[in-house]
Amino acid sequence: MQQFIHGLAEENRYQATHLLRILRAVQSRYHYIPGVAIEQLAEELKIPRTQIIGVVEFYSFLHLTPRGEYELLISDSITDHMLGQKSLIGYLSNKLNVAVGEVRKDGLVSLDTTSCTGMCDQGPAGLVNGYALTHLDRAVIDQIADLINQKKPLVEWPVKFFQVDDNIHKSSLLLNLQIEPGSALRSALAKGVQETLAEVDKAGLRGRGGAGFRTAMKWKFCSEEADSERYVVCNADEGEPGTFKDRVLLNSYAHQVFEGMTVCAAIIGAKQGYLYLRGEYLHLYEKLQGVLNQLRQAGLLGINILGTGLDFDIEICLGAGAYICGEESALIESLEGKCGIPRNRPPYPVSQGYLGKPTVVNNVETFVAAAGIAVNGGDWFANVGTEKSKGTKILSISGDCTRPGIYEYPFGTSIRTILNDCGASDVLGVQVGGPSGTFISAQELDRKLAFEDLATGGSFIVFNNSRNILDIVHNFTHFFAHESCGFCTPCRVGTSLLKKQLDKIVEGHGSAGDVVALEELCRLIKDHSHCGLGQTASNPVLTTLERYPDVYQDKLKKISYEPGFDLDGALETARRMAKRNDAGAHLAQIDCMDGEDGAMQGVVAEGEQHE
């Protein structure tokens, strides 16, 4: 182990910024991060051991205690639940004789859940030692259990277990774009970097990760910073359940992603770029490294690119299972080998990003679009879409539809059109933008895909009328509580309280006062959280409570009173207690039923005996 750790440190030039890469390698080899490895790394990298322990504890794919030689993680995403995940994981647990969340006594296998694997269009899905497993069913599980018990290495497993399909069903500007490697960069350099920036501006390209900031403005701000050392970062950490479009772009359009990054580097004057790849996309890592090597061999990356004096190269950094790292400043912290905790802003990354230097962070889809604009010009892009939303949007569509997969639409397309194309029927509603987005009802299907109406990072989860709204909200609320980075109290404590409050209502133990408290808690989390995770964690509750209040009301306890019960006296007592602000006198609105007079609205004080 000592020799292995030393080799890793040497290979990574003893840079603490490569800590996550080193720890992933240790985890892969030993199935956990041993204490002696932490001690040695602290010495080799000249960082405190407590910092290393903190990083290990922060990322869900790293562990301080041993996991199985075969580490199985089954996706806990709502789309997998809709496909029978609960039954399958129970079956798998029985077949392998290991409880969920445990390691088998012989140490051979461990089994647990993970938030989402990015395979929502081909679930139920999971991971084995980090590699994607798709289309799981009982027959596949039987084979997997046999292979594990026979201790067969993954290279001897059937290839079909690991098959990940693109599932592109509808293409437009970007997905129809097949440019020759180097053509975007050649066009940009021939045109001039400032002229190319002007074309990106003319195109009206806005960030495709969800925030929608104007791309040209971001690049311009970064290029104008006084510091000469600048960086380009591609955010490929699409951890939002229901989102998988970047997986497809990286699989089939990788050179366009890298070329878009290189065009950006030429414009802002960067020499180094990073692709931060979601840890769940380990299966893409070697393929992407191969594309980078091809670009280097073609003179499109490295020193003196195309003989123009431009120096720029790209490095891939794998995440380790932290949804919060999709937030750009948390992603930068992770790139630096730290816990992915969002920074205070300002300053923004364009002025102080990676290593405190000016940094452009853009989404995978944004860089693909930038490469296309460099080749075809701004009008090619701007002539599609709406006045405020130029171009097209690539969508990941999953859930209750006959054709889940990838669809590309011009901005301004109606939701009804999209649902018809993917084969959705008897629609209850659609979760637009993943759990952090908006749930729309069947009465809103004429709304438009656009920044000025329904903005989205690219996820549509379709639900039909066989689904229960509260089951959906329950899954999303647990997701946010699990994924909170723990930095700020409103999010760390608030999401946990929100989860418990919703559980109380879902289980039938809530009163109307609990719904009021639930909404107040949502507002507190939304208004006071440090970053976007907390600020959107309440959205599943707020957007469904607005549209389906009856669903929540139907879950509440009904309190009945015997005929002759002195309700007025009880209410007066409650009001006096509230006025005195006695401890425990919490007012709550409930539905009261009087045996003779029918329905009434009343107020009672918790702690008072009014049976």
Side-chain angles (χ1 to χ4, degrees):
M1 183 186 291
Q2 187 176 12
Q3 185 179 355
F4 177 70
I5 299 296
H6 178 73
L8 283 174
E10 186 176 42
E11 179 185 324
N12 287 278
R13 305 184 299 280
Y14 304 96
Q15 293 184 18
T17 53
H18 287 186
L19 177 61
L20 194 57
R21 175 182 299 172
I22 294 169
L23 290 174
R24 282 191 60 104
V26 175
Q27 175 76 38
S28 177
R29 185 175 182 115
Y30 300 106
H31 309 294
Y32 77 116
I33 312 295
V36 290
I38 292 172
E39 297 289 347
Q40 186 179 345
L41 281 173
E43 184 178 337
E44 299 252 20
L45 303 181
K46 303 295 186 291
I47 55 177
R49 60 184 295 276
T50 52
Q51 179 181 335
I52 300 174
I53 292 171
V55 169
V56 174
E57 291 178 334
F58 184 85
Y59 296 94
S60 64
F61 290 174
L62 304 176
H63 307 285
L64 291 170
T65 55
R67 291 300 188 268
E69 292 178 39
Y70 296 88
E71 185 178 0
L72 282 167
L73 297 172
I74 304 301
S75 175
D76 202 36
S77 170
I78 186 67
T79 55
D80 293 277
H81 278 254
M82 293 160 70
L83 294 168
Q85 182 261 15
K86 284 186 178 180
S87 172
L88 280 176
I89 197 170
Y91 184 75
L92 181 58
S93 173
N94 289 333
K95 288 292 293 186
L96 290 171
N97 193 29
V98 58
V100 178
E102 301 291 337
V103 182
R104 203 164 77 181
K105 289 181 180 180
D106 62 2
L108 182 63
V109 61
S110 57
L111 177 63
D112 211 337
T113 59
T114 188
S115 293
C116 180
T117 60
M119 305 292 159
C120 307
D121 58 331
Q122 43 207 301
L127 302 170
V128 56
N129 294 353
Y131 289 95
L133 294 168
T134 58
H135 299 294
L136 294 174
D137 57 26
R138 293 197 173 207
V140 172
I141 285 171
D142 288 341
Q143 295 179 67
I144 287 174
D146 289 342
L147 290 165
I148 289 174
N149 288 327
Q150 294 170 31
K151 301 184 180 181
K152 292 282 188 181
L154 296 188
V155 292
E156 296 182 19
W157 287 28
V159 174
K160 65 178 181 179
F161 288 2
F162 305 100
Q163 183 175 335
V164 178
D165 298 318
D166 281 354
N167 288 334
I168 298 174
H169 295 293
K170 187 175 181 62
S171 56
S172 185
L173 282 183
L174 301 185
L175 296 179
N176 286 333
L177 182 66
Q178 293 291 342
I179 61 174
E180 288 296 317
S183 57
L185 184 57
R186 287 187 176 92
S187 295
L189 295 175
K191 207 174 292 179
V193 293
Q194 289 307 312
E195 289 74 12
T196 301
L197 180 62
E199 289 296 320
V200 175
D201 188 36
K202 182 195 292 186
L205 176 62
R206 296 170 64 173
R208 286 335 197 219
F213 193 81
R214 287 187 70 92
T215 303
M217 190 178 295
K218 180 184 285 190
W219 293 9
K220 182 174 183 291
F221 287 159
C222 189
S223 68
E224 291 173 346
E225 287 293 320
D227 200 315
S228 61
E229 188 178 347
R230 304 184 182 96
Y231 295 92
V232 177
V233 175
C234 179
N235 183 347
D237 191 56
E238 58 172 0
E240 194 82 34
T243 308
F244 47 88
K245 66 182 178 64
D246 292 350
R247 181 200 82 210
V248 174
L249 291 174
L250 290 168
N251 186 51
S252 298
Y253 300 80
H255 83 83
Q256 287 155 240
V257 177
F258 294 139
E259 202 154 338
M261 293 175 68
T262 310
V263 168
C264 175
I267 290 171
I268 70 169
K271 296 184 182 301
Q272 182 63 50
Y274 294 95
L275 175 77
Y276 189 95
L277 181 64
R278 187 182 183 195
E280 289 83 349
Y281 293 164
L282 176 62
H283 68 282
L284 289 173
Y285 182 77
E286 292 300 332
K287 182 174 184 176
L288 291 171
Q289 290 286 21
V291 174
L292 287 177
N293 286 332
Q294 290 170 10
L295 292 172
R296 292 183 188 112
Q297 291 168 10
L300 298 172
L301 279 179
I303 304 298
N304 193 25
I305 295 172
L306 297 175
T308 62
L310 174 65
D311 299 339
F312 180 70
D313 211 336
I314 296 170
E315 189 175 309
I316 301 174
C317 176
L318 266 168
Y323 166 74
I324 189 62
C325 289
E327 197 276 340
E328 63 178 7
S329 66
L331 182 153
I332 291 170
E333 288 285 301
S334 187
L335 272 179
E336 293 179 356
K338 304 171 187 174
C339 299
I341 295 174
R343 298 174 176 177
N344 288 320
R345 297 187 297 177
Y348 293 93
V350 289
S351 56
Q352 292 184 40
Y354 181 67
L355 302 179
K357 303 296 183 180
T359 304
V360 163
V361 183
N362 275 128
N363 173 266
V364 172
E365 185 181 350
T366 309
F367 283 120
V368 171
I373 292 165
V375 172
N376 298 309
D379 289 337
W380 165 78
F381 196 80
N383 289 337
V384 176
T386 71
E387 185 178 347
K388 295 181 180 178
S389 305
K390 304 295 186 183
T392 62
K393 186 75 193 77
I394 300 174
L395 300 177
S396 316
I397 301 182
S398 59
D400 291 319
C401 58
T402 58
R403 293 179 294 279
I406 297 297
Y407 294 76
E408 184 182 10
Y409 289 97
F411 275 118
T413 303
S414 74
I415 308 306
R416 191 180 304 278
T417 297
I418 296 169
L419 294 180
N420 288 338
D421 287 348
C422 70
S425 60
D426 190 30
V427 174
L428 169 67
V430 183
Q431 185 70 34
V432 179
S436 65
T438 300
F439 192 100
I440 64 169
S441 72
Q443 284 68 52
E444 302 173 80
L445 301 186
D446 290 322
R447 294 182 66 178
K448 306 297 184 185
L449 177 68
F451 286 107
E452 59 267 34
D453 188 359
L454 275 175
T456 174
S459 166
F460 270 39
I461 306 177
V462 184
F463 300 97
N464 65 28
N465 279 296
S466 72
R467 307 300 176 183
N468 185 314
I469 291 291
L470 291 181
D471 287 345
I472 300 164
V473 179
H474 181 267
N475 180 272
F476 291 166
T477 304
H478 278 245
F479 166 76
F480 283 118
H482 178 266
E483 293 295 338
S484 173
C485 76
F487 173 76
C488 72
T489 303
C491 182
R492 181 184 68 251
V493 177
T495 54
S496 179
L497 290 175
L498 189 61
K499 177 181 75 171
K500 292 177 181 177
Q501 186 78 348
L502 187 69
D503 286 352
K504 180 181 178 182
I505 293 170
V506 169
E507 291 164 9
H509 303 305
S511 70
D514 290 310
V515 175
V516 174
L518 182 73
E519 189 167 9
E520 290 175 349
L521 183 57
C522 285
R523 298 295 178 190
L524 186 149
I525 299 168
K526 190 178 188 73
D527 294 342
H528 298 284
S529 289
H530 172 63
C531 79
L533 187 152
Q535 292 158 14
T536 59
S538 302
N539 285 356
V541 173
L542 292 174
T543 59
T544 55
L545 189 57
E546 177 186 355
R547 290 163 173 82
Y548 307 97
D550 292 348
V551 172
Y552 287 82
Q553 291 294 327
D554 290 345
K555 272 291 183 180
L556 304 180
K557 289 191 300 185
K558 301 299 180 182
I559 302 177
S560 61
Y561 296 90
E562 293 296 325
F565 168 68
D566 184 11
L567 179 61
D568 290 339
L571 300 181
E572 183 58 34
T573 301
R575 293 187 184 100
R576 287 201 306 272
M577 289 179 66
K579 194 171 182 179
R580 294 199 309 268
N581 198 25
D582 285 358
H586 305 297
L587 292 181
Q589 199 72 26
I590 65 167
D591 290 324
C592 301
M593 295 297 295
D594 184 285
E596 293 177 347
D597 298 330
M600 297 185 293
Q601 285 294 317
V603 181
V604 297
E606 292 179 6
E608 282 288 286
Q609 298 299 314
H610 297 305
E611 297 182 358

